[in-house]
């Protein structure tokens, strides 16, 4: 009589895979990433604010940098980080599991691979991109306020009005939706590329390369479409 996994084993394994993937994708790298975002924001926002004031755009300078960096750029940077860090890793891991026969062994043992191996990785990339996007936008808020108003609390009302204008309910929904689409694209493309490997180990780097190329074009297409829907 063949052995069957006990009921509930696959969901528990799926949760473990999700937690491990989320830890690797977002939690572990978050301090370094947010530190880099802060450094970038301090430099880029200062340049943009200075240029805007030189061109007589003081009235919209804060809204301009909020829209350019916090609203539009942060989800793209988060998606690129997750794609480079985890998209390649997911594709390589699944390709290796397929090449060595580990996925076939799990399936014979009764594991539902969609629930235990594939879907948790995709969901983790979605959560990672959205969470990193929101966190990096928050870092941008702090940098923008510090550069525009300094340590004075008197700019809070003006800054709050600018944030409410840029991050309207519709814009906020679009921000989260774009991050989710980036995450779905990253996870799904990586999983599909990994499963495209065969029993030869040399197919593993081929799968990773295919995932990265597809992700580049897909993420670019999502960003172009989002910009067109928002501004054209």
């Amino acid at each position: 009589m063949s052995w069957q996994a006990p009921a509930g084993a696959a969901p528990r394994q799926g949760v473990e895979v999700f937690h491990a993937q989320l830890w690797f994708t977002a939690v572990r790298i978050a301090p370094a990433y947010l530190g880099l975002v802060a450094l970038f924001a301090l430099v880029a926002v200062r340049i943009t604010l200075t240029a805007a004031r030189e061109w007589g755009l003081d009235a919209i300078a804060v809204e301009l940098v909020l829209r350019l960096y916090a609203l539009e750029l942060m989800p793209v940077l988060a998606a690129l980080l997750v794609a480079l860090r985890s998209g390649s890793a997911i594709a390589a891991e699944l390709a290796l599991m397929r090449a060595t026969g580990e996925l076939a062994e799990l399936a014979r043992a009764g594991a539902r691979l969609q629930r235990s191996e594939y879907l948790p990785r995709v969901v983790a990339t979605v959560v990672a991109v959205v969470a990193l996007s929101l966190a990096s936008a928050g870092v941008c808020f702090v940098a923008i306020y510090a550069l525009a108003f300094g340590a004075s609390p008197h700019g809070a009302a003006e800054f709050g009005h600018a944030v409410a204008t840029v991050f309207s309910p519709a814009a906020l929904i679009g921000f989260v939706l774009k991050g989710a689409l980036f995450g779905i694209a990253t996870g799904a493309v990586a999983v599909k590329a990994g499963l495209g490997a065969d029993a030869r180990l040399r197919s593993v780097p081929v799968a990773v390369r295919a995932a990265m190329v597809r992700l580049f074009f897909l993420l670019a297409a999502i960003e172009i479409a989002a910009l067109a829907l928002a501004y054209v």
Side-chain angles (χ1 to χ4, degrees):
M1 183 173 61
S2 62
W3 180 86
Q4 292 185 347
R12 285 198 299 271
Q13 175 66 15
V15 170
E16 293 171 4
V17 171
F18 169 79
H19 287 159
Q21 189 66 57
L22 185 61
W23 168 262
F24 175 80
T25 302
V27 178
R28 187 175 177 182
I29 198 65
Y33 173 68
L34 294 178
L36 182 62
V37 167
L39 181 61
F40 169 80
L42 289 172
V43 175
V45 170
R46 179 178 290 278
I47 293 171
T48 308
L49 286 175
T50 301
R53 287 162 180 165
E54 289 177 354
W55 296 336
L57 301 175
D58 300 62
I60 63 169
V62 174
E63 289 187 18
L64 176 65
V65 291
L66 279 170
R67 188 175 300 278
L68 177 61
Y69 296 114
L71 181 64
E72 298 298 344
L73 186 58
M74 289 305 107
V76 177
L77 290 181
L80 288 175
L81 172 71
V82 172
L84 290 171
R85 180 173 174 80
S86 288
S88 57
I90 291 171
E93 183 179 14
L94 290 178
L96 190 59
M97 292 172 71
R98 184 172 177 84
T100 59
E102 184 177 349
L103 288 177
E105 291 179 5
L106 288 172
R108 285 195 296 269
R112 299 180 183 179
L113 296 180
Q114 289 82 1
R115 293 176 59 185
S116 65
E117 297 294 337
Y118 310 151
L119 186 59
R121 288 175 167 83
V122 176
V123 174
T125 59
V126 173
V127 174
V129 174
V130 173
L132 289 173
S133 298
L134 291 170
S136 54
V139 171
C140 275
F141 286 174
V142 175
I144 292 169
Y145 186 92
L147 291 171
F149 304 104
S152 172
H154 300 297
E158 180 181 348
F159 184 73
H161 179 267
V163 170
T165 300
V166 173
F167 282 83
S168 63
L172 186 57
I173 291 173
F175 179 92
V176 174
L177 181 60
K178 182 167 71 171
L181 288 175
F182 281 149
I184 292 171
T186 299
V189 167
V191 168
K192 186 176 186 300
L195 296 179
D198 54 35
R200 298 170 299 172
L201 289 177
R202 64 185 179 183
S203 68
V204 174
V206 175
V208 174
R209 183 173 66 247
M212 293 297 97
V213 173
R214 292 168 190 164
L215 274 176
F216 173 80
F217 286 103
L218 186 53
L219 295 180
I222 292 173
E223 177 61 16
I224 292 170
L227 291 173
L229 287 173
Y231 300 108
V232 176

